[in-house]
Amino acid sequence: MTSPRRAVAFTLEDWETLEPVEGHRVELVDGQLRVNAAPTPWHQIICDELRALLAPVAKPRGWRAVSGIGVRLGRDLGYIPDLVICEPIPHGTKSVPASAVVLAVEVVSPSSRKIDRFEKLSAYAKAGIQAYWRAEIVKDHLVSVHCYRQHDRGVYVEHAVVEHGNQQTVTLPIDTSVTIDIDALNE
């Protein structure tokens, strides 16, 4: 679902002052607002499981694993990743700059498949976010997590694909690693 275009582009400041819309996520793309439906319960379960995996290794290193926060990527670009590892967030903060994020995670929904696989992959890389994970769901089961990291500024390289039936240890850009076990995340 997208919202109507207006003649004057929205700014990050406009985006940050929007009142939350219950059941929707509003992102800023090229100065226009993109309204996404609320995630499904299974989508959120996978997001919560990934957060539970990442939070215990992030916090002792001075980072936070946070779901559903706004990330400023450019003058007219603001996304709401499903999950990030970022610097601690001061109270009252509306969104965080991409420079404060080291990992962005998207859990792919049918309506966001192309956006998560291509648009956000490229935008996060160009913004300098060091790592990107894309969790793929098929028929209410997490089937794979694709892990990317910066190769050159603005370019990601896929360095791991964890699939149903196996587990893999993945290095995080905060001097630690985690073991992703698809079967355990599906329980």
Side-chain angles (χ1 to χ4, degrees):
M1 171 191 285
T2 58
S3 58
R5 296 205 175 254
R6 74 178 197 175
V8 178
F10 288 93
T11 66
L12 282 171
E13 293 76 24
D14 296 329
W15 179 61
E16 288 182 327
T17 60
L18 291 174
E19 290 296 321
V21 178
E22 190 67 35
H24 293 86
R25 288 188 179 185
V26 180
E27 295 180 322
L28 179 67
V29 182
D30 296 328
Q32 301 301 313
L33 299 178
R34 178 188 295 153
V35 181
N36 300 306
T40 65
W42 188 251
H43 178 282
Q44 282 308 105
I45 289 168
I46 294 302
C47 187
D48 290 347
E49 291 292 328
L50 289 170
R51 186 180 177 286
L53 175 70
L54 294 169
V57 297
K59 192 171 182 180
R61 288 166 178 78
W63 298 87
R64 294 288 186 165
V66 184
S67 56
I69 64 167
V71 176
R72 298 184 306 272
L73 296 149
R75 273 189 24 242
D76 60 356
L77 186 60
Y79 287 135
I80 302 174
D82 289 308
L83 177 65
V84 297
I85 293 181
C86 65
E87 295 173 351
I89 303 167
H91 291 284
T93 300
K94 297 280 189 177
S95 63
V96 298
S99 61
V101 176
V102 294
L103 170 67
V105 179
E106 295 290 354
V107 178
V108 177
S109 297
S111 64
S112 70
R113 189 171 286 122
K114 286 182 183 177
I115 293 166
D116 293 340
R117 288 181 180 168
F118 303 107
E119 179 183 311
K120 288 187 176 183
L121 172 84
S122 175
Y124 292 147
K126 287 178 185 172
I129 295 174
Q130 295 175 41
Y132 175 62
W133 289 5
R134 189 184 75 241
E136 295 278 347
I137 297 174
V138 175
K139 296 184 181 177
D140 288 341
H141 291 289
L142 177 66
V143 295
S144 62
V145 176
H146 298 257
C147 304
Y148 300 85
R149 63 177 162 216
Q150 285 278 346
H151 173 68
D152 289 320
R153 173 75 183 205
V155 178
Y156 282 138
V157 172
E158 189 173 61
H159 70 96
V161 178
V162 187
E163 297 178 310
H164 176 67
N166 68 30
Q167 57 182 281
Q168 189 168 344
T169 301
V170 177
T171 303
L172 296 170
I174 55 171
D175 298 323
T176 191
S177 59
V178 295
T179 299
I180 302 172
D181 182 346
I182 298 295
D183 296 331
L185 293 171
N186 276 321
E187 292 177 352

